[in-house]
Every structure is written in structure tokens, then in C-alpha cells.
Amino acid sequence: MLAAQEEAERGNIGVWSDAAYSPTPVERLDQSNYQGWKRVTGKIISFKQTVKHSYLLFSDKVSVSIEPSSLPLFIALESYIGKNVEVRGWVKRSRDRFYVIVRHPADIRAEP
């Protein structure tokens, strides 16, 4: 299924031809455009873990949120630091910060 999705993306077929599903650079996220499912791109600068979630940080204002139950599916979070990634998921806002919720490693595509 992932292969078919990637082929559709490369060919701008179906939903992938809609501008709403184009990647959004992390710097462009703001209060007017964060809602809904997004493809967010940027460079991971660090990570942190709390009792409730683990986070990959694009900046102090934008992060990727991984629930503890999903964490065993992922490679070590340190390995994402310094990589440009595309994260796919639902963007949420908490005060002046944004975060993308991911549940599976396929939701994060890192450059080699």
C-alpha cells in the first residue's frame, strides 16, 4: 500500500494533486493554516521525553509528538537529530506551540 501511495504522490494523482496536501515547511505553520492533516517538513534539532509523550523538535514552537504506546515501533529518537524530515499527521496547537501527532514510523520520512 505504501508503494502505491508513493507512486500516486510522485505522479500527483488523486488527493496528492490537491494543494492542501502539499508539504508545508515548518516555518510556515501559523494560527491561520495549522488545522487538519498536514505534511510538515523541516530539520529535527533535538528530542525530549516527558511522562506523557516523546517529542522530536523542529524548534521551540513546533514538534512531533509520539505517544508512549507507539514509541517501541520507532528507531532511537536521537537518530532523527540533524535530519530533514517530512512528518505526516494531524497538527494540533497548545498555546503558542504546534505539534504533529504520529503513531507509526511511516508517518516520518527522513532524508538518508
Side-chain angles (χ1 to χ4, degrees), residues 30-44:
D30 63 31
Q31 306 224 6
S32 69
N33 69 1
Y34 78 91
Q35 297 93 345
W37 189 91
K38 299 277 184 201
R39 294 167 63 194
V40 178
T41 59
K43 188 174 191 173
I44 300 297

Side-chain angles (χ1 to χ4, degrees), residues 47 49 56 66 70-81 83 104-105 108 110:
F47 79 98
Q49 291 185 291
L56 295 170
I66 304 166
S70 299
L71 194 57
L73 301 172
F74 290 82
I75 60 174
L77 296 185
E78 310 73 51
S79 66
Y80 290 103
I81 296 173
K83 292 188 177 177
H104 191 272
I108 302 174

